[in-house]
Amino acid sequence: MPSPRDVLTPDSLAMLQVIADTGSFAAAARQLRLVPSALTYRVRQMEEALDVLLFDRSARQAQPTEAGQALLAEGARLLQDIDAVAHRVRRVATGWEPELTIIADGVISQNTLFDLVQAFYNLGAPTKIKLGTGILTGPLENLSNGRADLALGIASSNTSISGLQMQDLGDLGFVFAVSPSHPLATVEEAITDEILLEHRLVVVADSAQKERTSIGLLDGQAIFTVDAVQAKIDAQVRGIGCGFLPEPMARPYIEAGLLMSKAVTRPARLLRMRYAWKQPSHGGLGKALQWWLNQLESPVTQQALLHNHRRF
């Protein structure tokens, strides 16, 4: 006895649809250029393999049974999927990657990133986009171990990774911010490290698994650790702690009166942010990665990725 896999072929599923459309085995056989007995035999093979009756033969017309209707519906979906897969394979063969993974640091504007994703999908390209987030050295680690194809928001200038290509994205300034309810909100003079040491700092954990780093942390200072920049902002708005924030991300909260920018005695922090990818050891870049790199060359896009953070 044939198995379901033997009989549920694209040709057989299409044949069932013709029978249902014509309402007759004889008419379907003529349309398919088969002798009626051959068509009837194939239907019986399918019924035996599935152990169901697909058509009610008691009436003059061939009417699908409830099981037959279910198979027709699933068969139509499967045939559409097969056509989609064939189309996708043909497109991939032209140089489009099946999937492109992009890891972005939390300082990268999600609004702008989604604009770019939408513009990419408007191309009708077959490449699937997978977005991930990383903090500090996390994006670079994902790129180096092959878990990402493109990393956005890298503060490190490490070029020791084989095949690594890196370009500047722009400079990102930071401000020291506290909630209006925080004790430091009433301090009028520039805040020294000695004063800062007495207060809890909100920090974002490095998402890297191996070589982790921290920025702006004083030895012996109490800390509250979160896993995202937005969570750090939310914690500081609540007054749970204080800390340095990317100025473009803090600006809407400062303008809304939810945070206050305070002067500090330590030098202003300005980080050069970069984006990076790995050059293939053989062959050229895929079309999807090349499209993204072309967009990132635009100064307007670079500015938006670092500064388009308005949330209100």
Side-chain angles (χ1 to χ4, degrees):
M1 179 183 296
S3 69
R5 286 194 176 190
D6 294 328
V7 298
L8 293 179
T9 65
D11 285 345
S12 296
L13 294 172
M15 177 192 69
L16 293 180
Q17 189 61 59
V18 174
I19 297 173
D21 291 342
T22 60
S24 164
F25 278 69
R30 287 193 298 271
Q31 185 171 323
L32 295 171
R33 298 182 180 181
L34 294 172
V35 295
S37 59
L39 184 141
T40 302
Y41 175 73
R42 289 178 63 181
V43 173
R44 284 177 177 170
Q45 275 193 314
M46 297 179 72
E47 291 177 328
E48 290 177 3
L50 298 171
D51 195 23
V52 297
L53 186 66
L54 297 175
F55 289 94
D56 182 359
R57 298 169 176 81
S58 62
R60 178 170 297 183
Q61 285 193 322
Q63 296 291 334
T65 63
E66 187 175 353
Q69 291 175 353
L71 182 57
L72 285 168
E74 289 297 320
R77 182 183 61 79
L78 289 171
L79 290 174
Q80 290 177 347
D81 288 345
I82 290 172
D83 290 339
V85 168
H87 178 69
R88 180 177 173 80
V89 168
R90 286 193 296 269
R91 293 293 296 274
V92 169
T94 64
W96 293 97
E97 303 93 312
E99 183 175 270
L100 187 76
T101 300
I102 302 169
I103 302 294
D105 190 276
V107 301
I108 296 297
S109 164
Q110 192 173 72
N111 296 329
T112 304
L113 202 51
F114 282 168
D115 286 343
L116 289 169
V117 170
Q118 190 169 26
F120 178 82
Y121 279 135
N122 287 342
L123 299 175
T127 304
K128 293 181 180 179
I129 298 297
K130 182 179 179 182
L131 289 180
T133 57
I135 301 296
L136 296 175
T137 57
L140 190 59
E141 182 183 78
N142 277 275
L143 187 65
S144 66
N145 60 26
R147 290 200 298 266
D149 303 294
L150 177 64
L152 305 175
I154 297 174
S156 169
S157 59
N158 180 8
T159 58
S160 62
I161 301 172
S162 176
L164 182 72
Q165 304 293 313
M166 190 176 292
Q167 292 291 337
D168 289 346
L169 193 59
D171 291 329
L172 183 64
F174 286 74
V175 295
F176 183 78
V178 298
S179 166
S181 62
H182 193 277
L184 290 177
T186 58
V187 177
E188 296 183 359
E189 67 275 8
I191 299 171
T192 65
D193 283 354
E194 288 76 18
I195 295 175
L196 188 58
L197 189 60
E198 299 173 1
H199 298 272
R200 184 186 304 109
L201 197 70
V202 182
V203 299
V204 183
D206 193 327
S207 63
Q209 298 298 312
K210 294 183 179 179
E211 297 182 9
R212 299 186 177 184
T213 187
S214 60
I215 299 177
L217 182 62
L218 298 172
D219 289 340
Q221 187 170 20
I223 61 172
F224 171 53
T225 304
V226 294
D227 63 357
V229 178
Q230 187 57 51
K232 174 176 166 62
I233 294 174
D234 294 342
Q236 291 184 210
V237 167
R238 287 174 172 267
I240 294 175
C242 56
F244 294 89
L245 295 171
E247 191 278 333
M249 298 184 73
R251 188 187 312 136
Y253 296 88
I254 294 172
E255 292 175 351
L258 299 174
L259 287 174
M260 298 175 61
S261 175
K262 305 296 293 184
V264 294
T265 56
R266 65 172 58 183
R269 185 191 305 167
L270 190 68
L271 291 182
R272 173 61 55 88
M273 306 305 294
R274 300 174 174 86
Y275 62 95
W277 70 98
K278 291 185 73 174
Q279 187 71 30
S281 56
H282 54 83
L285 297 176
K287 290 186 176 181
L289 179 56
Q290 188 61 66
W291 182 91
W292 279 84
L293 293 177
N294 290 342
Q295 309 311 305
L296 291 171
E297 290 178 357
S298 165
V300 174
T301 300
Q302 294 175 2
Q303 176 80 3
L305 283 168
L306 293 179
H307 292 270
N308 183 24
H309 288 285
R310 184 164 293 280
R311 302 179 62 86
F312 300 101

